[in-house]
Amino acid sequence: MSHPNPARAGKSEETDHSESRMIRIFDTTLRDGEQSPGASMNLAEKLEVAQVLADMGVDIIEAGFPIASPGDFEAVKQIAQTVRGSTICGLARCNDKDIDAAWEAVKYAPSSRIHVFLATSAIHRQFKLRMSPDEIVERAVAGVKRAVSYCDDVEFSPEDACRTEYDFLCRVVEAAIDAGARTVNIPDTVGYATPGEIYDRFRMLQDRVPNIDKAVVSTHCHDDLGMAVANSLAAVAAGAGQIECTINGIGERAGNAALEEVVMAIQTRSDFYACETRIDSKRLVPASRLVSKTTGIQVQRNKAIVGRNAFAHESGIHQDGMLKERSTYEIMSPEEVGFSKTDLVLGKHSGRAALADRAKNLGFTLTGEQLQIVFEQFKVLADKKKEIYDGDIIALVQQQISGSVDEEWTLVDYVVTSGKSRDPYVELTLRCGDTEATECIELGDGPIDAAFWAVEKITGIEVVCKDFRVRSATLGRDAIGEVNLEVEHKGRTYRGVGVSTDSVESTILAMLNAINRIISEKSPTQNDTHPNA
Ligand code: KIV
Ligand code: ZN
């Protein structure tokens, strides 16, 4: 397959992997990933993430499920119209309306794909679809044919394939390929399979489906038992040519296989897998951070590849070994996945160009207006802190990226007093367009609670706080504090992020971020129309 991104196209020539297979990376962060509760992204955020995925060398971006909502349709369409370098894919159930909508959304891309799915396991046939095996085959064939009438790149997924009887799975896969599917994806929809079973199932398909060589076989694993990455790699070892995965492993329930983990396993253990991908691994950490910020889903510290501790060596014995020879305890270098060599970057005398350059190295290209705002915030921060670290810059930039979208309410000023033996007091001023509103509140369990009350009073939006986390973006007691918030409003979950050296201010900013998401969500998102429903 020739890759549409010229920056990545030469990789196989540069590296001497004459025997190695090229594995396609199919990213579904914007579709399955967005199905994580509360992870919905707005249009601008989806466009930003899609461009980052294309720039890092993702072969296929599943941009959404166009029939799910007008917002989803618009996002897939705009991604197809603007993002270059990857095939843009839209998901559809096996019916005419879904497939037509998927095509209408993806048709603008120079390289587009329709992904059609239909459940095949006995459990789904009997209880969800109430369809006989013959009806399933008939519907699958009709769906693939309709998609092929629009687009020659069609993928078919027998949903819950890993719990489908071998004989029936072979029958469906063969029929879908005959109908024109160029990729057949074998999802472990409920994360039930083990690596050994996956290996056997993929080998079985290679051995028993007569036309299997006419299609790329793909793997799509969920992480309910923590085996999504191991299962995806077992599928590759058994001949799969495409991995479906998400940044940070976000996705339905326990999530999907993490892109950064499968990519680095293939890269680091090329001796074992004899495969490669087109992913520029140096972009993994910036992509992880961007997705974490836009979805509000934090990356655990010890997360493989992109976690803050992924390359930290604590024990004296390990540190001693590292100083003598890095390979004693390090199988990859932090730089290889996009951590920068030195974390200490700028100070109060650094200029705008240095800030723009550092942000670019961290994976963010800022517009002139964004740079101006981040630079002003940077100067204020540099006055408070002597040293500015990468983590500080990332926090400022990402707040700007997510904060610059559909922002309605902004913080003007606040005063807080609190003490052990008195009620907390908050005086808060917010702005929305030309209107400024001030509220004084003297109640609550503490200053943060009082700030919540004041924000709710001014904006008129009531929320229930489901999760509240504060963490420092860098080291030291003057570090930026990042608040991650999860709130519920009318039965739906929203996230908000705020950063400041003052934790009350971070809280107010996070609260406003969540409230602005509620306001900007004029149409229901994909979470309302679960594709597996
Ligand atoms: O997990 C699954 O089965 C899916 C399909 C829609 C491919 O996400
Ligand atoms: Zn899935």
Side-chain angles (χ1 to χ4, degrees):
M1 188 189 79
S2 71
H3 192 266
N5 184 346
R8 307 285 308 144
K11 193 175 172 194
S12 53
E13 276 96 53
E14 288 156 25
T15 30
D16 181 23
H17 282 295
S18 39
E19 295 300 310
S20 82
R21 281 188 300 137
M22 189 59 80
I23 303 296
R24 296 174 185 192
I25 296 297
F26 175 116
D27 179 280
T28 182
T29 305
L30 295 171
R31 200 278 297 169
D32 223 336
E34 218 218 3
Q35 284 174 221
S36 308
S40 59
M41 298 173 232
N42 62 33
L43 179 61
E45 289 166 342
K46 286 182 182 177
L47 283 164
E48 169 104 30
V49 170
Q51 191 57 59
V52 164
L53 295 173
D55 291 345
M56 77 191 281
V58 161
D59 296 284
I60 303 110
I61 297 173
E62 187 163 55
F65 183 33
I67 197 75
S69 74
D72 243 56
F73 181 89
E74 195 53 31
V76 179
K77 181 175 159 187
Q78 289 205 25
I79 289 170
Q81 283 171 332
T82 57
V83 173
R84 295 293 169 259
S86 304
T87 295
I88 307 301
C89 173
L91 182 69
R93 285 167 297 195
C94 241
N95 65 60
D96 293 356
K97 264 176 89 176
D98 274 41
I99 295 165
D100 296 354
W103 173 243
E104 282 307 309
V106 298
K107 69 181 181 190
Y108 303 93
S111 170
S112 39
R113 173 179 293 191
I114 302 176
H115 178 189
V116 186
F117 76 99
L118 181 66
T120 51
S121 66
I123 299 175
H124 281 239
R125 290 193 317 255
Q126 194 181 337
F127 298 108
K128 188 178 84 168
L129 299 172
R130 294 181 215 285
M131 283 166 76
S132 71
D134 287 348
E135 285 169 327
I136 298 277
V137 175
E138 200 180 306
R139 174 86 75 87
V141 167
V144 170
K145 284 192 171 156
R146 188 168 186 97
V148 169
S149 74
Y150 292 126
C151 170
D152 57 9
D153 187 351
V154 171
E155 169 170 332
F156 176 73
S157 288
E159 191 194 1
D160 206 16
C162 291
R163 290 193 299 171
T164 300
E165 310 91 309
Y166 271 16
D167 288 351
F168 187 56
L169 186 61
C170 289
R171 187 178 157 203
V172 175
V173 167
E174 184 182 348
I177 297 173
D178 264 348
R182 291 209 322 216
T183 304
V184 278
N185 181 42
I186 308 298
D188 182 17
T189 303
V190 291
Y192 181 74
T194 68
E197 285 170 349
I198 291 269
Y199 183 89
D200 291 346
R201 188 170 286 270
F202 277 70
R203 284 305 329 150
M204 180 280 295
L205 289 169
Q206 298 290 347
D207 293 341
R208 288 183 45 187
V209 176
N211 55 0
I212 200 79
D213 58 321
K214 306 262 181 326
V216 172
V217 182
S218 165
T219 173
H220 174 117
C221 297
H222 280 270
D223 208 30
D224 299 67
L225 293 173
M227 295 192 279
V229 169
N231 284 343
S232 305
L233 294 168
V236 166
Q242 171 178 290
I243 303 177
E244 302 199 353
C245 46
T246 59
I247 300 285
N248 298 337
I250 63 169
E252 188 73 41
R253 307 181 309 279
N256 291 55
L259 180 148
E260 59 279 5
E261 294 179 25
V262 293
V263 164
M264 289 315 291
I266 287 174
Q267 187 160 311
T268 308
R269 296 305 313 274
S270 58
D271 59 320
F272 182 79
Y273 291 107
C275 292
E276 57 184 316
T277 72
R278 292 186 179 80
I279 300 295
D280 177 358
S281 60
K282 291 196 173 57
R283 295 179 187 248
L284 291 172
V285 168
S288 158
R289 292 201 163 129
L290 177 66
V291 169
S292 167
K293 283 295 170 241
T294 50
T295 58
I297 299 178
Q298 278 183 39
V299 173
Q300 80 206 46
R301 274 176 180 254
N302 61 330
K303 163 90 177 59
I305 317 296
V306 294
R308 262 168 90 180
N309 289 357
F311 293 89
H313 299 273
E314 187 69 17
S315 106
I317 296 172
H318 287 207
Q319 286 172 354
D320 179 54
M322 283 286 292
L323 289 172
K324 290 176 175 146
E325 167 56 48
R326 287 183 84 98
S327 61
T328 49
Y329 287 103
E330 212 165 72
I331 58 167
M332 309 163 267
S333 74
E335 295 80 38
E336 211 179 329
V337 300
F339 283 109
S340 57
K341 245 196 185 86
T342 162
D343 201 25
L344 175 60
V345 276
L346 305 171
K348 73 191 244 183
H349 301 297
S350 306
R352 197 186 313 249
L355 176 66
D357 186 55
R358 194 64 215 137
K360 196 156 180 233
N361 285 337
L362 291 167
F364 304 103
T365 307
L366 299 172
T367 63
E369 199 186 331
Q370 285 174 329
L371 177 61
Q372 180 57 30
I373 297 169
V374 173
F375 187 62
E376 280 162 20
Q377 293 170 342
F378 165 78
K379 284 287 174 190
V380 173
L381 184 64
D383 265 344
K384 292 185 190 161
K385 296 182 72 185
K386 274 203 233 59
E387 295 158 337
I388 307 284
Y389 294 85
D390 281 353
D392 296 316
I393 293 176
I394 289 164
L396 290 180
V397 169
Q398 288 181 330
Q399 175 175 258
Q400 179 50 31
I401 288 168
S402 56
S404 62
V405 180
D406 294 334
E407 194 89 77
E408 298 277 348
W409 287 99
T410 51
L411 173 63
V412 178
D413 202 7
Y414 71 94
V415 177
V416 174
T417 52
S418 71
K420 194 167 162 47
S421 51
R422 54 163 296 178
D423 279 344
Y425 169 80
V426 170
E427 186 183 320
L428 176 70
T429 305
L430 301 180
R431 180 178 298 127
C432 182
D434 296 334
T435 315
E436 243 180 56
T438 301
E439 194 64 49
C440 302
I441 297 273
E442 195 162 4
L443 87 162
D445 290 336
I448 300 239
D449 192 27
F452 263 76
W453 282 103
V455 171
E456 283 188 321
K457 198 96 196 267
I458 295 178
T459 61
I461 293 181
E462 287 181 14
V463 296
V464 180
C465 183
K466 291 288 183 188
D467 197 13
F468 176 87
R469 285 162 207 256
V470 192
R471 68 170 196 110
S472 66
T474 53
L475 304 172
R477 53 200 249 195
D478 58 356
I480 280 190
E482 180 183 291
V483 168
N484 271 272
L485 199 62
E486 194 179 302
V487 296
E488 207 175 271
H489 174 73
K490 296 194 173 159
R492 292 176 56 84
T493 306
Y494 298 84
R495 290 175 197 271
V497 187
V499 294
S500 166
T501 47
D502 176 331
S503 57
V504 176
E505 186 173 347
S506 309
T507 306
I508 297 170
L509 293 172
M511 179 82 176
L512 292 178
N513 189 227
I515 287 208
N516 287 329
R517 280 173 195 271
I518 296 170
I519 292 169
S520 74
E521 198 171 75
K522 295 189 179 70
S523 54
T525 69
Q526 183 181 309
N527 290 332
D528 288 336
T529 318
H530 190 294
N532 300 345

